[in-house]
Amino acid sequence: MQVEARLRAFAAVARRRSFSEAAAELYVSQPAVSKHVAALEAELGTQLVVRGGRETSLTPAGELLADYVLRAEALLANGRRALEAAAGEAVGTLSVAASGIPGTYLVPDVLARFHEQHPRVELDFHLDTSAGTLELVRGHRVEVGVVGGMIVPPELEAEPLLEDDVVLVGPPALGGRRLRPRDLEGLTWLSREEGSATRAAVEAARWQMGLHDVRSLELPSWEIVKLAVAHGAGIAAVSRVALELELQTGALAVLDVPGWRLRRTISLVTARGVPLTDAAQRFVELLREAFAPRVEPTPNSNLPRLAPLVGRAHEVAEVARVLSGERLVTLTGAGGSGKTRLALAAAAASVDAFPDGVYLVELAPVADPELVPATVAHVLGVGVDELDARLRGRRILLLLDNFEHVQGAATWLAELLAAVDGPTALATSRAPLRVKRERELAVAPLAAPDAVRLFGERAPVAVGDDPAVAAICARLDGLPLAIELAAARTSVLAPRELLERLERDLGALGEAPRDAPARQRTLDATIEWSERLLGAEARRLFARLGVFRGGWTVDAAEAVCGAGLDTLAALVDQSLIRREGERMTMLETVRAVAVARLEASGERDEIARGHARFFAQLARTASLHARGPQERQWLERVQVDVDNLRAALAWTIEDRDAPLGLEIADALEPFWVRRHNHVEGLRWLEPLLALGGDVDRALRAGALSLAGRLSFELGDVDAAAPHYEESITLARESGDDERIAWALHGLGTIAAKRGEADAARTYFTESAARFERIGRFGPMAGRLTFLAGIEYEAGNIDEVVALFQRARDGFRRAGDHDGVAIAVASLSEVALEAGDVDSALALAREALEAARTSGSQYAVTQCLAGVAAAYAAAGRRDDAARLWGAVERREDDAAVLIQDRELLVGFLGPLDDARIAEGRALSDDESVALAAVSSPA
């Protein structure tokens, strides 16, 4: 009994951090509590409590003991409550604590519902700070805590309940327009007096927007913040769940600010290792039901459909398990060990765990580590500068295959994962990436039974249970690629004959470096053996095909390598190359051997030159279709061979062939500009321009103009200006009207950027006239849209309308439906601003039809937003909100969403979340159909 009394006294002191409050809790005298604690300290031989001062504290030993004692008390109390439960009906006491926003706006409603369902349960609710709530759970004074934006201590368990948007709000007078940095700097920013995770995130976001020095006002609670904002004192960032009533009544407005997107996590916290009572468990179920994820996960994947993986079931499960807890996982092993197939299988098994997508990024064709970001961005369908935004907060799995030859990008990948919360990376590589927080998993050879089974499945003829098959697999160290290559030969060799040949040829392994891994030597020998079975012509072609990256067409192989169909077929039969649709490819491991053979043949420069000229012609042909009806198809054609084009450019720099390199880079202008590959375009142009040499003036003028444009669109006006100035000089000397027109356009953009409206107007006008003179109506129309922007800033609305109409007609003559959509959508916006709702709606629908014809999903999304704005102006609130929901589903770019929402909110006011949710559920066809409805249903 003495031990129990001492532990009870110590537990009360640990909970209350006060001897007097502990005495009051136990209904004994304070000296009695002090005596029991002192006796416990003497028995344990260590000090537990630090006495004196205004507050009693625990020593480290005391904290450790308190964790055990308080947990034991909680277990006993919860067990007693469970025993008291009768016939499945919850009884006893439910103790809950919550902080700030959750405690004020979320938990009370759930507690009310719980009380209606379980009236016999007594409710004990504590509203505290996040830190206070965690302390109540840690001290077992409550069973359940609900906090927002806190890091939970390891002795507690947390489960995310809700991702809550943090919105920037202010007086209604500020709503309906897009606030620029100078608008925001002129307002007072309001925040909580005490620190919080939300406040820290707001300050970080404000800094990133360039708002480094603003007036701040700290107030003790969100209620006062909202009151102050509503009376016009300033702006504040507040949880959306706290604002529903104020937004509905119009007391506050959500402010439209570029780049503003914050989220906070609201989590359920319980004591680790302490089972919940029946009442608490039922309350937690109500919480989960009330705060179920707002967006249902959708399985997104570009994983190829592959035959079932032979064996590896345990490895697949292990990789999937590790992916659930790690951000960067690397599968390492020798070439041909099956890393890619294992990674694909594990990724496929993890689709449900990554609701925002599982994406395969094939790095084998990428020669330069600096091109890895562009490759990842392309797979995700965004520009490199949009990659962070596309990944932030998303549960995405990136499968980065064949990382070993782009190891220089490992640091970029690690920094990306550290900076962007959400995505996970699974890499395959012959060597670890050697960056922080990497989890390496070595891929072992196949077990003997699985290796035999793989051989049997890949052999073109039945091999039965021939014992030679097991010997072959053992001889090949169980490497999947080696087994598949060997199995293919059973079409002409029986397993016993095949084994004999393998035994003879593998004796040549001594020629390989002694420090090379055994499995790598075995695989090289297998490839070399397959190569030796070829005739002289096929072996020569095998080496030459090493010049290609990322695959090739039969036409390309014929033109560059002198390939014949029979010879290509011989390489396919030996599994050295593969046909995939209309293209042929080579495993990267096999390609490495081909490259070595090409280097040794003495033909490398000749073949590389022919390769560069072939793809220069492809780039020239594609450029002829720029800004025309077939531009999209040709851009896709360029994208398919982008790795070959990169290889061609790299060779021209190595060979110092500036004319050929500049010809390719200049012809790729639509690819650099229209596909937002500005950084990469400059990376090729700058060293080529620096080579000098005897380059045609018109060609150099065009390359300089392109370099200027890429620099300008990347925000470097100082770098763009000298490029354009040299370009216009060379272009005028050469008399090339098109080059002159592009240089004039560049000078116009710089003048406009510097606020020199008259100069910009002159440049754009002459540029458009020269394009029209040579029949380039698409570029002409584009310059007219720039002129319209100048006139819009000057307030010349009639001239704006006339210019957009001329641009529309020019785009039509060029067959550029995307351009037509842009011009007509701009006319719709002008009509809407002028109050001509009927014309605005008709024009928005016309723009949408042109965008659908062009096939540009980006243009379709923008035009849907235009129709939504027209609906809002016409009073069709529900239809406008539904269309906006469809726009949000289609558009990932936050800046674009903010810009497009400006018109909509201006006419509609706060959006109806229920109607927006309905719009997000619409298919593309249903969205377009809604945009065509003449009147509300």
Side-chain angles (χ1 to χ4, degrees):
M1 293 296 294
Q2 287 295 322
V3 172
E4 181 180 352
R6 292 167 185 171
L7 289 174
R8 284 184 180 277
F10 173 70
V13 172
R15 272 193 302 273
R16 300 295 185 177
R17 303 300 168 112
S18 166
F19 278 91
S20 59
E21 291 185 19
E25 177 185 321
L26 298 175
Y27 299 101
V28 297
S29 66
Q30 182 173 333
V33 172
S34 181
K35 176 182 176 182
H36 282 312
V37 173
L40 182 61
E41 289 177 321
E43 182 176 343
L44 295 175
T46 185
Q47 184 180 358
L48 301 174
V49 180
V50 179
R51 298 162 177 82
R54 304 179 64 179
E55 183 179 280
T56 301
S57 60
L58 302 182
T59 65
E63 293 284 2
L64 180 63
L65 181 62
D67 183 52
Y68 282 99
V69 174
L70 296 177
R71 186 179 303 173
E73 281 195 343
L75 286 168
L76 180 62
N78 286 2
R80 184 181 296 116
R81 293 184 185 116
L83 291 173
E84 293 172 353
E89 181 180 0
V91 295
T93 301
L94 170 64
S95 297
V96 178
S99 66
I101 297 301
T104 305
Y105 297 96
L106 302 179
V107 175
D109 289 340
V110 180
L111 283 172
R113 288 175 54 196
F114 180 87
H115 181 64
E116 291 176 2
Q117 297 177 14
H118 308 290
R120 293 185 59 193
V121 177
E122 181 180 349
L123 299 178
D124 177 26
F125 178 54
H126 301 258
L127 181 61
D128 209 321
T129 63
S130 293
T133 297
L134 294 179
E135 190 60 37
L136 289 170
V137 177
R138 182 191 283 109
H140 303 288
R141 295 172 62 187
V142 299
E143 284 192 83
V144 175
V146 184
V147 299
M150 292 293 295
I151 299 175
V152 179
E155 67 269 22
L156 303 178
E157 294 182 332
E159 174 188 353
L161 285 172
L162 176 68
E163 272 202 350
D164 178 33
D165 291 325
V166 178
V167 296
L168 200 62
V169 298
L174 292 175
R177 64 189 180 88
R178 191 177 189 187
L179 298 182
R180 294 165 295 183
R182 64 170 175 266
D183 299 320
L184 299 173
E185 290 171 350
L187 298 168
T188 300
W189 288 67
L190 305 167
S191 64
R192 293 179 62 173
E193 193 172 44
E194 64 275 16
S196 71
T198 301
R199 174 181 173 185
V202 169
E203 290 177 350
R206 204 171 65 193
W207 183 271
Q208 290 172 0
M209 289 190 297
L211 306 176
H212 303 160
D213 187 18
V214 297
R215 295 191 304 275
S216 296
L217 176 64
E218 294 184 348
L219 296 168
S221 76
W222 285 123
E223 296 297 333
I224 295 179
V225 169
K226 289 183 291 181
L227 181 65
V229 171
H231 284 77
I235 57 177
V238 187
S239 172
R240 181 176 288 277
V241 298
L243 294 175
E244 292 181 357
L245 181 60
E246 286 81 0
L247 293 175
Q248 290 173 6
T249 60
L252 292 173
V254 176
L255 304 187
D256 190 3
V257 177
W260 185 268
R261 179 181 288 178
L262 289 177
R263 290 178 183 266
R264 69 201 305 267
T265 300
I266 293 174
S267 300
L268 166 74
V269 183
T270 57
R272 179 171 296 175
V274 178
L276 296 177
T277 61
D278 183 55
Q281 188 61 50
R282 296 187 186 198
F283 173 71
V284 168
E285 290 172 359
L286 276 180
L287 278 174
R288 289 179 180 142
E289 178 184 333
F291 305 131
R294 288 178 279 182
V295 180
E296 291 297 324
T298 56
N300 302 319
S301 170
N302 70 339
L303 299 180
R305 292 184 178 274
L306 298 171
L309 186 62
V310 176
R312 305 285 199 195
H314 173 75
E315 290 94 330
V316 170
E318 176 63 9
V319 175
R321 183 192 66 78
V322 173
L323 285 172
S324 67
E326 302 284 353
R327 296 288 305 284
L328 173 57
V329 179
T330 305
L331 302 186
T332 60
S337 59
K339 300 183 296 295
T340 296
R341 286 291 285 114
L342 174 58
L344 287 168
S350 304
V351 166
D352 290 340
F354 295 91
D356 294 317
V358 177
Y359 297 96
L360 169 63
V361 182
E362 295 179 329
L363 298 177
V366 181
D368 188 342
E370 293 191 22
L371 296 176
V372 171
T375 305
V376 174
H378 171 68
V379 170
L380 294 176
V382 298
V384 177
D385 53 347
E386 301 166 316
L387 187 56
D388 284 14
R390 174 71 176 86
L391 292 173
R392 182 168 288 109
R394 307 289 178 86
R395 288 289 296 148
I396 285 176
L397 175 64
L398 298 174
L399 198 175
L400 304 163
D401 191 33
N402 286 297
F403 211 109
E404 60 269 2
H405 66 293
V406 287
Q407 286 274 346
T411 301
W412 166 82
L413 178 61
E415 291 174 350
L416 174 72
L417 294 176
V420 179
D421 184 38
T424 295
L426 172 61
T428 69
S429 177
R430 297 184 191 180
L433 307 189
R434 304 193 188 284
V435 294
K436 292 181 180 178
R437 299 180 181 85
E438 177 191 21
R439 175 70 179 276
E440 179 188 355
L441 297 177
V443 179
L446 284 173
D450 292 329
V452 170
R453 182 178 156 208
L454 175 63
F455 189 100
E457 291 194 5
R458 297 296 186 265
V461 297
V463 296
D465 56 357
D466 191 325
V469 172
I472 290 170
C473 293
R475 190 65 171 162
L476 297 176
D477 292 332
L479 292 175
L481 177 56
I483 290 170
E484 292 190 17
L485 289 169
R489 300 310 306 156
T490 57
S491 61
V492 293
L493 294 172
R496 173 57 58 185
E497 294 174 301
L498 178 59
L499 178 60
E500 291 174 355
R501 287 175 178 256
L502 285 173
E503 287 176 340
R504 288 198 305 270
D505 287 338
L506 287 179
L509 284 177
E511 299 175 7
R514 290 184 177 274
D515 60 348
R519 289 192 297 271
Q520 183 63 60
R521 294 201 302 267
T522 302
L523 181 57
D524 285 347
T526 303
I527 297 173
E528 184 180 351
W529 166 78
S530 297
E531 187 184 3
R532 287 176 182 173
L533 295 176
L534 299 171
E537 184 180 354
R539 287 200 301 272
R540 186 162 50 251
L541 176 60
F542 171 64
R544 291 175 174 179
L545 291 174
V547 76
F548 291 106
R549 284 191 173 274
W552 62 88
T553 62
V554 171
D555 289 344
E558 290 173 333
V560 175
C561 303
L565 295 181
D566 290 341
T567 316
L568 286 170
L571 295 176
V572 172
D573 290 342
Q574 295 299 324
S575 297
L576 291 172
I577 63 175
R578 299 179 294 182
R579 186 174 69 82
E580 296 180 357
E582 297 181 356
R583 293 176 66 80
M584 310 198 82
T585 63
M586 184 184 292
L587 292 172
E588 192 62 19
T589 307
V590 178
R591 181 181 173 274
V593 176
V595 170
R597 303 291 187 270
L598 182 60
E599 292 281 358
S601 71
E603 291 188 321
R604 188 252 185 178
D605 287 347
E606 179 184 350
I607 298 299
R609 185 176 294 104
H611 174 271
R613 288 173 176 167
F614 179 87
F615 286 100
Q617 182 58 47
L618 169 66
R620 284 194 299 269
T621 303
S623 70
L624 296 177
H625 296 275
R627 283 79 176 178
Q630 292 184 303
E631 179 186 62
R632 182 164 174 260
Q633 295 92 313
W634 276 96
L635 284 176
E636 290 298 326
R637 177 70 182 83
V638 167
Q639 184 65 59
V640 168
D641 268 310
V642 65
D643 294 301
N644 278 311
L645 287 158
R646 288 166 174 165
L649 286 166
W651 182 84
T652 61
I653 293 174
E654 177 188 342
D655 197 52
R656 302 190 63 81
D657 191 343
L660 182 57
L662 288 174
E663 182 182 348
I664 298 172
D666 185 49
L668 287 175
E669 180 270 338
F671 181 72
W672 308 135
V673 174
R674 304 286 264 195
R675 288 294 176 93
H676 306 287
N677 295 311
H678 303 84
V679 173
E680 182 180 354
L682 272 178
R683 285 190 64 250
W684 294 117
L685 280 165
E686 287 174 347
L688 286 166
L689 287 168
L691 288 176
D694 185 16
V695 180
D696 178 77
R697 289 183 179 181
L699 174 59
R700 185 173 180 83
L704 284 163
S705 183
L706 177 55
R709 180 169 187 179
L710 297 177
S711 298
F712 180 86
E713 295 193 11
L714 287 170
D716 194 346
V717 178
D718 291 339
H723 285 320
Y724 278 128
E725 288 164 0
E726 184 180 352
S727 174
I728 192 69
T729 300
L730 292 174
R732 291 191 188 281
E733 289 176 359
S734 68
D736 189 315
D737 270 334
E738 183 165 1
R739 308 289 193 191
I740 295 170
W742 280 118
L744 287 167
H745 161 79
L747 293 172
T749 59
I750 290 177
K753 182 72 173 179
R754 292 172 173 170
E756 301 166 358
D758 290 340
R761 187 180 287 110
T762 299
Y763 286 133
F764 287 139
T765 300
E766 184 183 350
S767 178
R770 285 184 179 270
F771 276 125
E772 184 175 23
R773 182 187 309 159
I774 61 176
R776 296 279 278 142
F777 299 108
M780 175 205 75
R783 293 340 97 200
L784 294 176
T785 64
F786 280 88
L787 270 173
I790 298 293
E791 300 301 342
Y792 181 85
E793 291 293 328
N796 301 326
I797 303 303
D798 290 343
E799 185 64 20
V800 170
V801 172
L803 285 166
F804 277 129
Q805 288 173 341
R806 286 181 59 200
R808 173 198 59 196
D809 296 342
F811 283 128
R812 281 177 177 163
R813 292 185 68 180
D816 185 349
H817 299 289
D818 201 5
V820 172
I822 293 171
V824 177
S826 300
L827 287 169
S828 175
E829 290 186 18
V830 173
L832 200 58
E833 290 184 9
D836 188 351
V837 177
D838 291 341
S839 294
L841 180 55
L843 288 165
R845 286 172 171 163
E846 181 184 340
L848 176 59
E849 187 60 33
R852 293 182 67 205
T853 302
S854 77
S856 168
Q857 294 305 305
Y858 173 82
V860 169
T861 302
Q862 302 310 300
C863 292
L864 285 173
V867 176
Y871 277 175
R876 296 173 60 173
R877 298 176 59 87
D878 288 350
D879 285 343
R882 288 189 186 97
L883 268 186
W884 182 253
V887 170
E888 287 188 343
R889 175 181 65 80
R890 296 170 59 96
E891 179 57 67
D892 289 327
D893 190 323
V896 171
L897 285 174
I898 289 169
Q899 181 178 356
D900 290 342
R901 193 166 180 164
E902 178 180 351
L903 285 173
L904 184 61
V905 174
F907 289 107
L908 188 63
L911 303 179
D912 187 320
D913 288 337
R915 302 290 84 77
I916 289 177
E918 292 173 6
R920 290 197 190 102
L922 295 176
S923 68
D924 290 349
D925 289 342
E926 289 170 336
S927 303
V928 172
L930 177 59
V933 175
S934 297
S935 60

